[in-house]
Amino acid sequence: MKPEVASGWKMEEQEMQLKVKKDKFTESMYFLANEPSLALYRLQEHVRRSLPELVQHKTDMQGVEEQCQGAIYTVEYACSAVKSMSNSGAYFKNIEGLLRRAISIKDQMSSLQSRRAKRAPLPFQCWMVYSVNNGRKAHSGSCEEKGSDGIRF
């Protein structure tokens, strides 16, 4: 082979290697330049597929949260009711004292009535007997024209 052919062949080979390297570099640059858009496309695709499910989960969780808030309110209300019931012992003791007093007063009134019944009847009692018996005297001498206090009726 001639030296000029050998050097020409060598030059062509170097140019060819340079062109291949240049093409690979261009391809790499093109790939790198378009890679973010491909990533964004994949991301958008993922969001489009998963978003309705996420929205449904969020709605479900909001419903569960509302139910939990209602349950918490109910429990807190029940706890305050129990606390107020435990603090109401003093009120029940007060009510018990008032009932005992009312029973005592009723017993006193009953004993007073029984003592008065042994005595002459009161004017309004005679009138009641008279009106119930349609104007006839109930028994002789108990309800006369004068009451026990001397007032005519």
Side-chain angles (χ1 to χ4, degrees):
M1 283 192 141
K2 294 183 183 179
E4 28 181 80
V5 173
S7 70
W9 176 258
K10 205 174 189 187
M11 269 265 224
E12 270 184 43
E13 193 177 314
Q14 285 178 350
E15 284 179 19
M16 192 65 133
Q17 285 178 355
L18 184 62
K19 186 175 180 182
V20 168
K21 287 181 182 178
K22 185 175 127 182
D23 286 344
K24 284 185 180 180
F25 181 75
T26 304
E27 185 180 327
S28 294
M29 290 305 290
Y30 182 76
F31 180 75
L32 288 174
N34 290 321
E35 179 60 27
S37 64
L38 182 62
L40 289 175
Y41 172 74
R42 297 285 186 212
L43 186 63
Q44 177 190 11
E45 190 176 75
H46 172 72
V47 168
R48 192 176 340 117
R49 274 188 275 129
S50 62
L51 187 65
E53 187 178 335
L54 289 173
V55 168
Q56 183 62 39
H57 284 305
K58 180 181 178 183
T59 304
D60 293 344
M61 292 306 289
Q62 285 174 339
V64 169
E65 181 186 14
E66 288 175 10
Q67 290 175 347
C68 288
Q69 289 295 331
I72 289 169
Y73 175 77
T74 302
V75 168
E76 287 176 350
Y77 184 74
C79 287
S80 68
V82 168
K83 285 179 184 177
S84 66
M85 287 174 70
S86 65
N87 295 336
S88 64
Y91 297 112
F92 283 119
K93 286 181 181 179
N94 187 22
I95 291 170
E96 181 183 10
L98 291 172
L99 286 172
R100 288 182 191 274
R101 187 172 167 204
I103 290 170
S104 171
I105 291 172
K106 189 228 174 244
D107 288 343
Q108 288 175 358
M109 289 176 65
S110 295
S111 67
L112 282 175
Q113 271 186 335
S114 66
R115 279 190 257 154
R116 283 188 179 168
K118 292 177 185 175
R119 288 193 253 152
L122 296 175
F124 71 89
Q125 291 172 332
C126 290
W127 178 81
M128 290 291 286
V129 170
Y130 183 77
S131 64
V132 169
N133 292 323
N134 293 324
R136 293 174 286 142
K137 287 187 177 182
H139 42 74
S140 61
S142 66
C143 290
E144 299 183 15
E145 290 185 6
K146 287 186 181 178
S148 62
D149 56 356
I151 301 174
R152 289 185 168 247
F153 54 94

